[in-house]
Amino acid sequence: MHELSICNALVEQVERIAAENRAGRVARIELLIGPLSGIETDLLRRAYPLAIAGTVAADAELVIETADVVVRCSQCGSESSVAPNRLLCGECGDFRTRVVSGEEMILKRLELVGSDTKL
Ligand SMILES: [Zn+2]
């Protein structure tokens, strides 16, 4: 299951940050996921409890935000937010665009408990 390994990698990253900040536990994990990342958020949510069990994030709330898809047009140079299934330039309508945002999964924010640091 692809999403479980993504979740495990995420929890490893969270554990590392929590350790660096000497946090006792993690209260909340906020993710920004691009619609073109190929990550199924439903599956990710299902894998999440398995990944956090027994870790410093064991009772952390998971918040998933969907990122916009942004393309840059090779013809007119403008950047526009588009629908994930319609990667056309918002200015001139050309199809020769490059995705500049929407393919990523970003750990946007962590809420740590037992530490003053907020990320
Ligand atoms: Zn254009």
Side-chain angles (χ1 to χ4, degrees), residues 1-117:
M1 187 175 166
H2 181 54
E3 274 71 13
L4 183 56
S5 55
I6 292 170
C7 244
N8 283 332
L10 169 71
V11 170
E12 273 173 34
Q13 192 186 352
V14 167
E15 282 188 302
R16 198 166 54 236
I17 295 169
E20 281 167 6
N21 291 282
R22 297 182 181 81
R25 62 184 187 88
V26 180
R28 192 176 158 103
I29 300 174
E30 290 183 20
L31 294 180
L32 189 65
I33 299 182
L36 304 178
S37 63
I39 298 170
E40 295 283 345
T41 53
D42 286 353
L43 294 179
L44 196 66
R45 282 186 192 282
R46 222 174 299 163
Y48 179 73
L50 301 173
I52 60 172
T55 74
V56 70
D59 47 19
E61 183 194 354
L62 178 66
V63 178
I64 297 177
E65 215 176 286
T66 306
D68 281 342
V69 177
V70 177
V71 295
R72 188 198 306 271
C73 178
S74 66
Q75 299 307 295
C76 72
S78 65
E79 284 187 8
S80 36
S81 291
V82 295
N85 58 353
R86 196 176 154 84
L87 305 178
L88 302 176
C89 173
E91 286 297 318
C92 71
D94 203 279
F95 65 90
R96 281 162 290 185
T97 58
R98 192 169 57 83
V99 175
V100 292
S101 168
E103 292 174 321
E104 66 288 304
M105 181 180 97
I106 296 169
L107 178 58
K108 197 182 162 202
R109 193 165 166 275
L110 270 186
E111 216 170 283
L112 304 174
V113 179
S115 159
D116 293 337
T117 316

